[in-house]
Amino acid sequence: MIAVPPARLRRVSAEFLGSGSLTMVVVGSGIAAERLSPDDVGLQLLENAIATALGLFVLIAVLAPVSGAHFNPVVSFVDAALGYRSWRSILPYLPAQVLGCVGGAVLANAMFGLAPITVSSTARVSGPNLLSELVATAGLVLVIFSLARSGRAGWAPAAVGAYIGAAYFFTASTSFANPAITVGRMFSDTFAGIHPASAPGFIAAQLAGGLFGLLLVRLLFPRRLPSERR
C-alpha cells in the first residue's frame, strides 16, 4: 500500500470539503430563493448571488492556507501552468473537486427535503451562455492570479466573492465558471441546476476561458514576486 503524505491528504481533503461546501451554498441558496420568492426570478437570482459571494469569501479565507482554496479544476490547472504548484501535486485535486461538488448538491437537496439525487431538466446551452462562461472564467482566473502575482493574495477571498457575485448579473449564464460545479449542479433539478446535455458545452467554454485568462495573466503580470514563489 502506498502511504499518502499527511500534508497532501490535508490539501486534497480541503479541496473536497471546500468544493462540496461551495456547491451546497449555490444549490441550497437557489432552492431557498425559489421558495422565498416564487414569483420573482430577479429576486431569486439576487438571493442566490449574495449567498454565493458570501460563501466564497468564507471558504477561501478558511481553506486557502491548507490547499490554496481552488475548488475549481481550471484554477488548479492555471496554478500549475504558472508554476505555483507542480502538475503532480494538483492532479489529486481534480477528482476531489468533482466528487465534492456532486456531494454538495446531494446534501443541499436532502437539507430541503428533496430527493437526494435528481437530474436537472434546465437546458442552458446557447451562444450567449457559452460566451458568458468563457468571459466569466477568464475573468475569474485574472482576478485570482493578478492578486497572487502582485503580492496581494490576501485580497482573494473578498475579490473572488465580489467578482462571482457580480458575474451572476453581468453574464447571461449566471457565471458557473467552474467545470466541477457544473458537474455537481447536474444532480439537482432546482433553480441552480443544469441539464447534463448542457454541461459539456459549458465545460468546454470554461476551459477555453481558463486558457484565455492564463494568457491575460502572462501578458499583464509577466513576473511573480520572489516572495510568491514556492
Side-chain angles (χ1 to χ4, degrees):
M1 181 178 295
I2 299 174
V4 178
R8 180 177 297 179
L9 180 60
R10 287 196 298 272
R11 290 193 294 268
V12 173
S13 298
E15 286 298 302
F16 176 83
L17 177 63
S19 299
S21 298
L22 175 58
T23 309
M24 180 184 65
V25 169
V26 172
V27 174
S29 64
I31 297 170
E34 277 188 308
R35 295 183 179 181
L36 292 170
S37 310
D39 301 318
D40 191 333
V41 177
L43 186 54
Q44 291 173 14
L45 187 61
L46 178 62
E47 292 161 350
N48 195 202
I50 291 172
T52 301
L54 294 176
L56 262 174
F57 180 96
V58 172
L59 290 170
I60 295 171
V62 170
L63 295 175
V66 182
S67 68
H70 296 179
F71 317 145
N72 185 335
V74 170
V75 174
S76 297
F77 284 137
V78 175
D79 201 53
L82 291 173
Y84 287 100
R85 284 178 175 79
S86 69
W87 289 100
R88 180 180 178 183
S89 69
I90 63 99
L91 287 179
Y93 280 19
L94 308 185
Q97 291 161 351
V98 173
L99 292 174
C101 286
V102 172
V106 170
L107 181 57
N109 290 336
M111 286 196 302
F112 283 89
L114 304 176
I117 299 177
T118 57
V119 177
S120 176
S121 58
T122 304
R124 294 181 182 267
V125 165
S126 68
N129 278 356
L130 296 181
L131 177 60
S132 294
E133 283 302 294
L134 189 154
V135 170
T137 309
L140 176 63
V141 168
L142 180 60
V143 168
I144 293 170
F145 291 99
S146 66
L147 295 175
R149 289 171 85 85
S150 59
R152 296 174 294 157
W155 282 92
V160 173
Y163 174 79
I164 291 297
Y168 263 75
F169 289 92
F170 73 70
T171 64
S173 64
T174 69
S175 183
F176 285 44
N178 182 335
I181 207 168
T182 300
V183 173
R185 288 168 70 164
M186 294 191 307
F187 293 91
S188 184
D189 192 17
T190 60
F191 181 78
I194 179 172
H195 192 282
S198 297
F202 265 52
I203 292 170
Q206 291 156 1
L207 294 175
L211 177 59
F212 185 55
L214 171 62
L215 295 176
L216 287 176
V217 172
R218 288 194 178 279
L219 174 66
L220 298 175
F221 299 89
R223 300 179 186 274
R224 51 184 176 157
L225 297 177
S227 61
E228 293 294 316
R229 293 174 185 158
R230 54 186 173 185

